[in-house]
Amino acid sequence: MVAAVTGTALAVAAAPGRAPEQDPAERPGGGPDAAVTLIVGRALDQGDGDIAARCAVEGFRDGLCTGWRQQRVRATARGAGSVLRGPAPRAGDGAARTVVLPTNPGGPLDIALAEAGQLTDVTVHDGHGRYVGGELAPRSRHWTNTEPLRAGELYTVSVGAQDAAGTPVGVTMAFRTAPPRDRGRLTVEFGPRPGTYGAGQIVTAALSRPVPAADRTARARVERALQVTSEPAVEGGWHWVDDSTLHYRPRTYWPAHAEVRVTSGLDGVEVGDHGYGGPSDSTGFTVGDRIEAVTDAAEHEMTVRRNGKVIRTIPVTTGKAGFRTRSGVKVVLGKEYQVRMRGDTVGIKRGTSEFYDLPVFYATRVTWSGEYVHAAPWSVAAQGEENVSHGCTGMSTADAAWFFQTVREGDIVQVVNSEGEPMAPFDNGFGDWNLDWRAWQAGSARASAPVPAAALPAVAPAASSRLRPLT
C-alpha cells in the first residue's frame, strides 16, 4: 500500500480565560522572537523499509539515503510556524498549498530539534479523533511514532517545545496521507486502541471506502458484520456519522469496569456494488471507574463523582458573555501538561483588551477546537463567583492538577446552565451523548423506520462556533 504525507504549518488554537496583566512579549524570556527549528521527517516508499528506518535512527543526516524526506518547520512563541525547507509552492498556489509526497505508511514519522532546546509534548491525531502513539527520546529532542499512519487520513500534529532559554514555543501542522493505490476489499479500522477508558468512550469504525446513504441495504450488511460485545452486556447500536465512519455507543454510559470487544465479520461478505469485505483487526478496551464531572455554569461550580459518589466540588469560572461555554455532554479527548493559548486563534485581535497569549498548565481537552478544563491562576478571585473565561472551564492550579490526574480519555464532562451553544454530536470531539436514544437509532441503517428530521435535536452549525476547529 502506498500513501503520501503532506505538510503545512497551521496556527495553534486554544481558549483560556482572562488575558494576563502583561503581554508575554514584554516579559523576560517571552519575546516574540523566541523560536526553535523542528525537523520533520518521513520514510519514502522505495521498497526498503530497513533503509528508511536507518535514516530515522541516524537523526536526519542529509544524503544518508534517498528513502527519507525532511522538512524544516519553525515553531515560535506565538504558536505560528513556517516551512523553511521543502518543495517550493507553484505560482499562485499560496503558502498553504498541500504538497503530496509518496510515503511508506509503515515507516516512521519523526520530529526532532535542529538546535538547542527540548520537546515538551507531541500529539498526533486523525480526523476521527484517534491518537497516534509515539515516544519521546530520553533527552527530549526526538519524537517518533510507535503506531503506523493510515492511508487516506488527515492528521493534525501539535508540537510544544522550549528554546535554549526555556521559553515555550509551539506549532501545529497538518499532514494528509493519500489513499492506497488499490481500492481492494472493504475493510474497517476500529477505535479506540486497547487500553482503559472512561464510561463515555465511543467506539469508532473507519471504513476503507465510503458506502453511500442511498444504499441502505449495503449499509445494513456492514452494520451486521461489525460486532460489539461487552461484559456485562448492554444495549447499544451503530450510528452512521458519514459515508465511511460509524460510531457505536450504549443506550446509557458504559458500566464501570466493563470489558468491551469489537470485531469485524466483513471478510468475504458481499456489500452490493461495493465489492466484498476483507479482513480487519479487532480491538478491545476496559472501562475504568465511572467518572462524571458536571459543571453548573450558573452556580460556578463543578461536581465530580466516582461511581455515583461525590468526590470533589470545585469552584470554577466558565465562558462570559460573547464566549459562552458549550452546553451538553463532552468526553475527555486527551490531556496536555502545557498548552500555549492565543486570542487571535478564536478571532480576538492582538492589542485589544480581550487578547491573551500565555502558557496554560494541566489542560484537559474536551473539544478539538480548543475547549479545555485547565488551571487559571489569573482568575482565582472570580472562580465560584462569576464567569470570566473565553470558553474554557478554569480553576485553581491545585484543583486543575487533581482533575488532570483523576480523569482519563472517555470520562464524562458535562456543562449545564451556560447559555452557550449546544455541543455538536460529531464534528468537534465526542458529543454523541447529546443525541437521545431514539435519535441515535435513527442513524442506523438497520432501524425499522427512520425518525423524522423534526424529532432530531437542534445542533448549532459549526461555522458559528467561537472555538472553531483548526482543520
Side-chain angles (χ1 to χ4, degrees):
M1 180 171 66
V2 176
V5 155
T6 65
T8 301
L10 305 177
V12 173
R18 179 177 295 167
E21 297 297 326
Q22 186 179 22
D23 190 297
E26 300 173 0
R27 297 196 299 250
D33 295 331
V36 297
T37 300
L38 308 175
I39 307 176
V40 181
R42 58 263 191 184
L44 302 186
D45 183 68
Q46 296 195 349
D48 191 338
D50 291 337
I51 290 179
R54 286 201 301 273
C55 290
V57 170
E58 289 295 327
F60 310 104
R61 282 171 49 190
D62 289 330
L64 181 65
C65 69
T66 59
W68 187 253
R69 178 72 193 195
Q70 300 179 26
Q71 279 183 304
R72 290 177 177 258
V73 179
R74 198 73 166 160
T76 74
R78 293 196 174 104
S82 57
V83 177
L84 303 182
R85 190 175 76 199
R90 295 190 297 247
D93 280 350
R97 183 175 75 85
T98 297
V99 180
V100 177
L101 298 172
T103 303
N104 178 0
L109 167 65
D110 279 21
I111 298 170
L113 291 173
E115 56 202 60
Q118 66 176 359
L119 297 173
T120 55
D121 63 88
V122 178
T123 58
V124 182
H125 67 81
D126 66 15
H128 300 282
R130 294 180 300 250
Y131 279 88
V132 176
E135 291 184 346
L136 192 61
R139 295 177 60 194
S140 300
R141 294 183 52 81
H142 175 215
W143 180 95
T144 188
N145 60 313
T146 56
E147 296 178 331
L149 302 176
R150 297 179 67 250
E153 285 287 352
L154 175 68
Y155 288 91
T156 300
V157 182
S158 297
V159 181
Q162 293 179 348
D163 67 6
T167 303
V169 296
V171 68
T172 299
M173 299 166 282
F175 292 87
R176 183 179 293 280
T177 57
R181 289 175 180 167
D182 182 4
R183 287 168 59 87
R185 292 190 290 172
L186 181 66
T187 58
V188 60
E189 182 170 345
F190 295 117
R193 61 182 179 268
T196 301
Y197 295 85
Q201 181 60 43
I202 301 298
V203 177
T204 63
L207 303 178
S208 59
R209 62 174 182 270
V211 178
D215 196 340
R216 193 177 183 89
T217 300
R219 283 193 167 193
R221 289 180 178 175
V222 170
E223 277 188 61
R224 277 193 291 269
L226 306 182
Q227 300 294 321
V228 181
T229 58
S230 67
E231 179 59 45
V234 297
E235 180 184 4
W238 291 102
H239 185 107
W240 287 80
V241 176
D242 55 40
D243 287 352
S244 59
T245 308
L246 299 87
H247 285 186
Y248 183 99
R249 48 158 270 209
R251 183 169 186 164
T252 58
Y253 302 132
W254 296 103
H257 312 301
E259 296 288 338
V260 183
R261 182 72 174 171
V262 189
T263 58
S264 171
L266 272 176
D267 196 10
V269 173
E270 184 179 0
V271 193
D273 295 335
H274 310 283
Y276 289 83
S280 302
D281 292 334
S282 60
T283 190
F285 61 94
T286 300
V287 179
D289 287 334
R290 178 166 164 171
I291 301 293
E292 298 175 79
V294 180
T295 295
D296 188 329
E299 296 295 328
H300 320 295
E301 184 176 85
M302 173 189 283
T303 302
V304 184
R305 291 179 173 85
R306 175 184 286 122
N307 300 326
K309 181 180 179 180
V310 175
I311 57 173
R312 198 170 182 112
T313 301
I314 301 173
V316 299
T317 185
T318 62
K320 59 187 174 181
F323 304 91
R324 297 297 188 193
T325 305
R326 291 177 185 80
S327 64
V329 180
K330 306 144 195 176
V331 301
V332 173
L333 300 174
K335 300 189 293 184
E336 301 163 58
Y337 171 69
Q338 178 180 347
V339 178
R340 191 165 194 89
M341 299 186 177
R342 291 189 4 253
D344 50 5
T345 64
V346 291
I348 301 173
K349 292 184 179 179
R350 183 177 290 273
T352 64
S353 61
E354 296 289 354
F355 182 78
Y356 52 84
D357 183 351
L358 71 166
V360 172
F361 295 90
Y362 298 113
T364 300
R365 182 187 284 271
V366 294
T367 73
W368 293 128
S369 60
E371 185 179 324
Y372 291 85
V373 177
H374 64 74
W378 54 85
S379 65
V380 167
Q383 292 162 19
E385 300 293 333
E386 60 179 325
N387 293 321
V388 299
S389 87
H390 292 89
C392 289
T393 299
M395 56 184 64
S396 71
T397 299
D399 284 333
W402 176 87
F403 187 81
F404 188 90
Q405 294 160 3
T406 300
V407 301
R408 56 167 53 94
E409 286 184 45
D411 278 335
I412 301 149
V413 178
Q414 184 176 8
V415 176
V416 300
N417 300 324
S418 70
E419 301 179 10
E421 66 184 51
M423 175 66 177
F426 305 118
D427 66 356
N428 196 14
F430 290 135
D432 306 52
W433 299 103
N434 296 295
L435 293 180
D436 64 28
W437 185 238
R438 187 164 176 251
W440 183 266
Q441 289 179 306
S444 166
R446 302 177 67 186
S448 56
V451 175
L456 297 174
V459 176
S464 67
S465 171
R466 274 287 184 178
L467 305 177
R468 57 188 181 275
L470 282 175
T471 55

